[in-house]
Structures are given as structure tokens and as C-alpha cells.
Amino acid sequence: MKIKSIKAYHVVQPFADGPYRMSKGRVADCFDAVIVAITSDSGVTGWGEMAPLGNFYSAAFPAGTRAGVPEIAPHLIGHDPRGLAGICRLMDTVFKGHPYIKAALDMACWDLAARAADAPLVTMLGGRESETAELYRVVTHGTIDQMAALAKRIVAEGYHRLQVKVGGNVREDIERVTAVASAVPKDTVIFCDANAGWTPYQARQFADATRGIDYTFEQPCTTIEENMSVRRMLDKPMVLDESVTSLGEMLEIHRRGAADGLTLKISRLGGVTQTRLIRDVAVDLGFMITVEDTGGAEIDTAAMAHLSLSTPEERRLHAIAFHEWVTVRTATNKPPVTGSRLGIPDGPGLGIDVDPSLLGKPFFEIGSR
């Protein structure tokens, strides 16, 4: 089997609930996605998706993806898409760094390989560990009253896990989290996510003032060393997200004892191949794991679901359903959400039936038709 053609589409995906707000005035109105279709000489097509959250969240940006995919794609023509490790090495050889640009191409190869084998992707990723994964919802940054009201609404909709955005003015964030915790049932699981927005000094201020609230602290500071300095005085679990950029960084986090859990972002790591590798090693090392991404719709959410449900249930934290965030559709089906739990679409590969007519005209294509 050989790669015969590659197409890439640019799809803007507006948020259904309005702007997504984080600390320090960071705000996004949409996911700005690149969707890739890779077709083999046997006629099988695999799909991949990558969408940064604005230009501020990760070391990735939409225009960079659109510029980079046409640079890499010609080198993949004629190669076996099922040789997944070799595809990754080839992309790293012809295009140094910028793993986010390679993520959709890598994902499409996994989807194609699984479809060719007539197997769901979860089987190729180690096997299905459970039928569904528990979802969390985000309480975005806002006023105290806005955040408390949003938290109450989310819980009323049947969700039990909240990620509360902090990382702004410390005193105000203490009030915000206190209000949110008071507004929801005691058994609600709360993560306080600063998105690396604080200095260690600020993070310690927040942690000390909120000792009476039950929550997990997520990525308070930028570097592993800074987060470690907070962890030394912390009496709560800590999860790192932005610090997990490679296998080497994950091993350094383990060596330092800097976290109890990790959030793995598919695009930040360069695709399904590296995410699976880091996930498997991290599980063996004893970390709790969340697998998600920086954004996307049905394709990317399906990849997150397959990776999540092939993670041992006792090591899985939770999942997120990005396709429910956006107003546009890219497929005729979607990853199933029942109550507050996410499942996997039926069918081989990702299980997603992408409708090219929903994507518009490709901005790049190469190979024979």
C-alpha cells in the first residue's frame, strides 16, 4: 500500500457559546482548523485534524499549519501509510521541529491504516479499556458571578467534573474559585487551571488561600522548575499540561516528581504516534492521564476518544468533547456523547464519516486523482 494523494482543507469553527476566555486577556472566537485527507493506491482515505486555540495558547498557530503541510506532504507520496514510525521519522527528517504541523498528517495515516485493516483505531492503540470516558466542562475566565452561574448551569446539565480557569489576578481568582466551589455540589470534581499564567509567588499565594477547597492544581506556572517549587508546598494533586512537549519532558517531570497527572495534547506532541508512546510510558510510570488536544471538531474528538478509551481506566482522568464546542459540522456522524460520557463512533479507523462537501475547496492537494 502506498500514499497516492493528499488534500488539506482550512475550516474555521466558531464557538457555539461565544468567546473562550483565559487569564491575561487571552481570548479566542473559534478553532482555526486544518483537516487532511490521505488516500492510498487501494482507494482507502484516512482523515486527520489539527486546530490551535488562537495564537496564544501553544507553540502553534493556524497560518503555520497551513504553510507547513504543503512543505511536508510531497515527501509522503509513495510511502506506506501503515509504516507509522517510519512516516514520523521521515517528517522529522524533511521538516525540523514544529510538531503541530505534522499532527494532522500523522493522525490521517493512523486512520488510514486502521481502516485498511478494518479495525477501529482503539484496537490498534492497545485495545478498548471501557465503553465510555467521563467528560469535563470548562468554566472560562470571567466575573465571580458569571463563573459561579456557569458552573451551576454545567452541573445542572449533568456534568460532575469542572475545569475552572484561573491565572489572573490572584485575589480575584481566589474569590472566583471559592464562589464556584460554593455553587456546586460537594462531590463535584474541580481542576483549577492557570494555563501557566502565574509566577511561583502568585501560585503559592493562591494555593495557601484555597487550602479548604478540594481541587487539583493544573499547570500554575510555565517551567517544570517553577511548578516544582509550588508542588513542594502543595497539599493537593498537581497536573501538568503545557510542560508536556515531548517524551524527554515527560521523563523529566517523572524524575523530579513534579506532577501526579499529565494532560497530553495530540498536536503539541506531533500526532497520535508520539501521544500513544508518551501515554503508554506515562501509564507504566504511574501517572494519571488525560488525552485531548488544542481544538478541533469531529475528527480530532474521535482521535481523542480512541486514545482515551485505550488508556487503562484506573489511570484515566477525564476527556473533553470539542465537537460540541463549535457550530460547524465536518462529518455525517460524530463521537457519541451520552449524558456526561464520551464514546467512540462505530466503524473502522476513527469511525468518523467525513463529508468533503462540508469542508470547502482544498487549499492544497498533491498526487493523482
Side-chain angles (χ1 to χ4, degrees):
M1 182 185 293
K2 306 295 183 185
I3 294 174
K4 181 181 179 182
S5 65
I6 300 175
K7 295 180 181 179
Y9 303 82
H10 176 213
V11 182
V12 175
Q13 302 166 348
F15 293 142
D17 293 333
Y20 183 86
R21 300 184 186 279
M22 294 164 56
S23 62
K24 297 184 176 180
R26 293 175 288 178
V27 59
D29 297 313
C30 64
F31 291 135
D32 196 338
V34 166
I35 293 175
V36 169
I38 297 181
T39 301
S40 71
D41 55 4
S42 60
V44 180
T45 297
W47 293 90
E49 180 176 24
M50 186 273 167
L53 181 60
N55 291 328
F56 53 78
Y57 173 66
S58 210
F61 62 106
T65 310
R66 296 194 297 273
V69 166
E71 295 291 329
I72 298 172
H75 298 277
L76 305 184
I77 299 295
H79 288 270
D80 190 335
R82 299 168 299 181
L84 297 157
I87 290 288
C88 281
R89 288 194 299 271
L90 175 61
M91 289 195 289
D92 287 343
T93 298
V94 301
F95 200 95
K96 188 174 180 62
H98 303 278
Y100 68 97
I101 294 174
K102 303 162 189 174
L105 293 162
D106 176 80
M107 186 185 297
C109 286
W110 275 91
D111 185 33
L112 198 164
R115 289 177 189 269
D118 195 29
L121 182 59
V122 69
T123 300
M124 296 181 64
L125 294 172
R128 191 169 189 149
E129 295 281 344
S130 64
E131 290 301 308
T132 58
E134 187 74 16
L135 289 166
Y136 75 88
R137 293 278 297 276
V138 179
V139 180
T140 57
H141 218 247
T143 67
I144 295 168
D145 290 343
Q146 287 171 339
M147 293 179 71
L150 178 55
K152 287 179 70 173
R153 177 168 67 82
I154 291 170
V155 170
E157 292 172 358
Y159 290 83
H160 313 288
R161 305 179 74 89
L162 302 177
Q163 184 193 75
V164 182
K165 291 299 184 184
V166 293
N169 179 281
V170 175
R171 295 302 173 190
E172 292 176 3
D173 277 343
I174 291 167
E175 294 183 40
R176 291 181 178 105
V177 171
T178 301
V180 167
S182 299
V184 299
K186 294 293 185 183
D187 61 350
T188 304
V189 176
I190 297 175
F191 280 59
C192 290
D193 183 12
N195 291 116
W198 278 330
T199 65
Y201 180 91
Q202 293 170 313
R204 284 192 285 271
Q205 281 184 306
F206 177 86
D208 186 61
T210 55
R211 288 184 185 275
I213 301 173
D214 183 12
Y215 66 87
T216 296
F217 213 176
E218 184 165 355
Q219 194 76 39
C221 308
T222 302
T223 68
I224 295 173
E225 178 59 39
E226 288 173 334
N227 286 299
M228 189 65 205
S229 74
V230 176
R231 182 164 167 77
R232 291 189 187 103
M233 56 76 64
L234 193 65
D235 60 355
K236 302 180 184 301
M238 181 178 284
V239 168
L240 293 183
D241 177 345
E242 285 88 341
S243 290
V244 190
T245 59
S246 66
L247 177 61
E249 291 295 306
M250 185 275 288
L251 292 173
E252 178 66 8
I253 291 167
H254 176 259
R255 186 186 71 80
R256 301 288 300 276
D260 305 286
L262 306 172
T263 299
L264 308 181
K265 300 286 176 68
I266 298 171
S267 62
R268 180 180 290 139
L269 299 173
V272 174
T273 301
Q274 287 299 315
T275 304
R276 181 204 181 184
L277 170 63
I278 294 169
R279 186 273 311 268
D280 289 349
V281 176
V283 165
D284 285 346
L285 292 175
F287 286 108
M288 298 296 292
I289 300 294
T290 299
V291 179
E292 54 181 66
D293 210 343
T294 54
E298 289 90 352
I299 299 167
D300 200 55
T301 302
M304 294 188 290
H306 283 271
L307 280 158
S308 292
L309 292 179
S310 56
T311 302
E313 192 167 13
E314 66 272 16
R315 290 295 176 188
R316 185 194 313 141
L317 282 170
H318 43 215
I320 194 164
F322 278 146
H323 67 291
E324 295 196 325
W325 288 32
V326 299
T327 61
V328 300
R329 300 272 67 87
T330 60
T332 57
N333 63 339
K334 58 187 178 181
V337 173
T338 304
S340 63
R341 299 192 70 88
L342 174 68
I344 292 174
D346 291 330
L350 291 170
I352 291 296
D353 300 318
V354 179
D355 183 350
S357 69
L358 299 174
L359 308 181
K361 184 179 178 180
F363 70 84
F364 169 80
E365 54 184 312
I366 189 171
S368 55
R369 297 179 183 274

